[in-house]
Amino acid sequence: MPTSQDEKADLGIKISEVEPAKRRPRPPDEDKLGFGAFFSDHMLYLDYEEGRGWHSPRIEPYGPLSLDPAALALHYGQQVFDGLKAFRTKDGAVQLFRPKDYLERMNRSARRLCMPGVDVELVLEALKALVRIDSEWVPRKRGASLYIRPVTIATEAALGVKVSGEYSFFVLTGPVGAYYAEGFNLTRILVTDRYVRAVRGGIGEVKTAGNYAASLLAAEGAYAEGYTQVLWLDACNRSYVEEVGTSNIFFVVEDVLVTPPLGGSILPGVTRRSVIQLATDWGVRVEERPITIEEVIEGIGAGTLKEIFASGTAAVISPVGQIGYQGQDYTVNQGAVGDLSQRLFDEITGIQYGERPDPYGWIERVVP
Ligand SMILES: Cc1ncc(COP(=O)(O)O)c(C=O)c1O
C-alpha cells in the first residue's frame, strides 16, 4: 500500500489513484535479465503543448503509445532520451545514482533539438514515485539494477519539416543484468575508419535516436568479426579517438589517465564525469586531451599504455582487452584487467549499491 510519503509525489500525481497494472511477464530469474528485455508494470507520462507547457502528469500501466502516424518524431527524428539506474542495497533500500545529472543532460539534448526541457526537481519526484510503485521490479542480485529510460518525442501531426508544437514525455523502467554478456570480462573493440558516429557541430554530444541509428551498420560489422563494440574516430581526420560503442573511453598512459575532451561530438557521460572526479581525488593525474589511434597502438606496443576501459551507465567500467585496427589485433595489458579499471568499478558500484560512503552526494534515496 502507498504510504503518506508516497502521496507527496509531485506534479499532482496521486499515488493512491494510479490504476493498478495487469502484472507484466516476470523475468525467469535475476541471472537471466539481459539488457532491456523486461519492462516494469507502470510508466510516467507528461504532455506538452506550446503556450500551455507541460501538463497532465500521470502514472499509468505499461502499454502501447497512441500516436498520429504523422507525428514529427517518426519522420524527422525530433526525439531525445536518457538512461539512468536504480539500485537495491543490501538492506533492501532502493536508490538512484546521479538522477539530476541525467535529467539535466536530457534537457540539454532537448535544447539542441528545439524541444522543451522538463522541471528537473518535479520530474525527479515523479520518477521516484514511479520507481516506488514498481519497487518490486528492482532486482536483488548484486550487479543487476532497474534501468530507467526517460524519452521525449515530438507528437504534432505535420509532414513539413518544422519544430513540433506538441510533445510527449514518458518514462519506462525495467530490470537489467550486466550489459555485456561477458560481464566484467575484457572486451574486444574494432576501430572503424570507414564510418563515423558524429561530427562537431552536429548532434553527437546529445542523446537522440539518430546517433544510435548511425552507429548500427558499423556495430553489426564489428559483431560479425567477433568484436564487442566499435571504437569511433573523429569524422574529419579519422585519427583522434572519440568513444567506444555507447560509452566514453579512457586510457592509462604511463601513470596518467587520458580521455578525449568533449569537443562537441562526444556524449558527456555521467560515468565519465564520475571517473574523472574519483581519479582526481585519488591523486591520479587526469588529462582531457586529444589522443590519436596511432598513439594508442604505439603505446600498446611500447608497454606505456597500460589500461583501456570504457565508461557508461550500462556497464559502468568495461575493460578493453584487445583492439582491432587495420586488420591487426593488439592486446592491452597482456589481456589482464587493469588496477585502475578494477578500482574505479569497485568504487562506483560500491557507492551505487550503498556499500561505500557517498561523499559527493551522488545517491538519491527512493525507498524507504
Ligand atoms: C554515445 C554514448 N557515449 C557515452 C555514453 C556514456 O554515458 P553515461 O556514462 O552517462 O551513461 C553513452 C550512454 O549513455 C552513450 O550513449
Side-chain angles (χ1 to χ4, degrees), residues 2-72:
T3 65
S4 56
Q5 196 205 346
D6 290 332
E7 285 298 343
K8 265 195 356 225
D10 244 311
L11 290 170
I13 296 173
K14 285 244 175 354
I15 303 300
S16 53
E17 290 171 8
V18 171
E19 186 188 332
K22 197 165 147 266
R23 281 164 64 90
R24 294 192 45 79
R26 305 278 134 170
D29 70 56
E30 292 190 353
D31 287 321
K32 299 198 178 108
L33 291 172
F35 186 87
F38 297 94
F39 303 101
S40 319
D41 290 341
H42 292 89
M43 291 171 64
L44 169 67
Y45 290 94
L46 283 170
D47 299 322
Y48 180 95
E49 269 162 63
E50 216 173 345
R52 186 175 171 197
W54 290 107
H55 63 89
S56 309
R58 60 207 183 275
I59 291 175
E60 291 184 352
Y62 183 99
L65 302 174
S66 171
L67 209 57
D68 193 293
L72 281 160

Side-chain angles (χ1 to χ4, degrees), residues 108-140:
R108 289 197 300 277
S109 300
R111 263 200 300 283
R112 177 64 181 83
L113 276 91
C114 299
M115 299 167 72
V118 294
D119 183 313
V120 168
E121 297 288 342
L122 290 184
V123 164
L124 178 56
E125 286 312 308
L127 201 146
K128 285 185 189 170
L130 177 69
V131 174
R132 244 174 245 143
I133 281 185
D134 283 341
S135 62
E136 66 173 292
W137 282 90
V138 183
R140 286 176 166 73

Side-chain angles (χ1 to χ4, degrees), residues 82-83 102 105 197 204 207 212 243 245-248 267-272 311-314:
D82 224 293
Y102 290 95
R105 179 171 66 189
R197 192 191 81 91
K207 247 174 129 59
Y212 299 83
E243 300 196 65
T246 55
S247 310
N248 296 112
L267 191 86
V270 175
T271 320
R272 176 186 184 277
S311 73
T313 298

Side-chain angles (χ1 to χ4, degrees), residues 11-284:
L11 290 170
I13 296 173
K14 285 244 175 354
I15 303 300
S16 53
E17 290 171 8
V18 171
E19 186 188 332
K22 197 165 147 266
R23 281 164 64 90
R24 294 192 45 79
R26 305 278 134 170
D29 70 56
E30 292 190 353
D31 287 321
K32 299 198 178 108
L33 291 172
F35 186 87
F38 297 94
F39 303 101
S40 319
D41 290 341
H42 292 89
M43 291 171 64
L44 169 67
Y45 290 94
L46 283 170
D47 299 322
Y48 180 95
E49 269 162 63
E50 216 173 345
R52 186 175 171 197
W54 290 107
H55 63 89
S56 309
R58 60 207 183 275
I59 291 175
E60 291 184 352
Y62 183 99
L65 302 174
S66 171
L67 209 57
D68 193 293
L72 281 160
L74 300 176
H75 300 271
Y76 307 120
Q78 223 194 341
Q79 180 264 15
V80 294
F81 68 100
D82 224 293
L84 62 154
K85 282 177 168 177
F87 302 86
R88 191 182 292 281
T89 67
K90 264 205 298 289
D91 57 8
V94 176
Q95 51 191 30
L96 298 165
F97 182 70
R98 307 193 73 167
K100 286 186 197 154
D101 294 291
Y102 290 95
L103 292 172
E104 279 160 10
R105 179 171 66 189
M106 190 168 167
N107 278 350
R108 289 197 300 277
S109 300
R111 263 200 300 283
R112 177 64 181 83
L113 276 91
C114 299
M115 299 167 72
V118 294
D119 183 313
V120 168
E121 297 288 342
L122 290 184
V123 164
L124 178 56
E125 286 312 308
L127 201 146
K128 285 185 189 170
L130 177 69
V131 174
R132 244 174 245 143
I133 281 185
D134 283 341
S135 62
E136 66 173 292
W137 282 90
V138 183
R140 286 176 166 73
K141 191 180 158 61
R142 179 69 157 79
S145 54
L146 187 81
Y147 186 74
I148 301 169
R149 168 57 61 86
V151 189
T152 305
I153 55 172
T155 51
E156 185 181 337
L159 286 189
V161 177
K162 58 171 260 191
V163 173
S164 178
E166 294 165 21
Y167 297 88
S168 176
F169 169 89
F170 55 88
V171 183
L172 52 152
T173 74
V176 298
Y179 188 74
Y180 292 111
E182 306 94 309
F184 194 47
N185 291 340
L186 293 144
T187 58
R188 293 184 72 216
I189 59 177
L190 179 66
V191 181
T192 176
D193 46 16
R194 178 161 182 212
Y195 300 107
V196 295
R197 192 191 81 91
V199 62
R200 273 180 192 207
I203 52 173
E205 66 176 347
V206 301
K207 247 174 129 59
T208 183
N211 289 326
Y212 299 83
S215 75
L216 294 176
L217 191 57
E220 286 296 302
Y223 303 152
E225 290 186 50
Y227 292 92
T228 329
Q229 278 295 353
V230 169
L231 181 67
W232 302 103
L233 301 179
D234 78 285
C236 298
N237 304 294
R238 312 270 166 114
S239 173
Y240 294 99
V241 172
E242 297 222 316
E243 300 196 65
V244 55
T246 55
S247 310
N248 296 112
I249 186 138
F250 286 85
F251 304 90
V252 179
V253 184
E254 301 285 5
D255 290 323
V256 181
L257 184 61
V258 177
T259 193
L262 302 173
S265 54
I266 294 176
L267 191 86
V270 175
T271 320
R272 176 186 184 277
R273 218 194 306 168
S274 311
V275 165
I276 292 173
Q277 171 100 57
L278 286 169
T280 305
D281 290 358
W282 291 339
V284 177

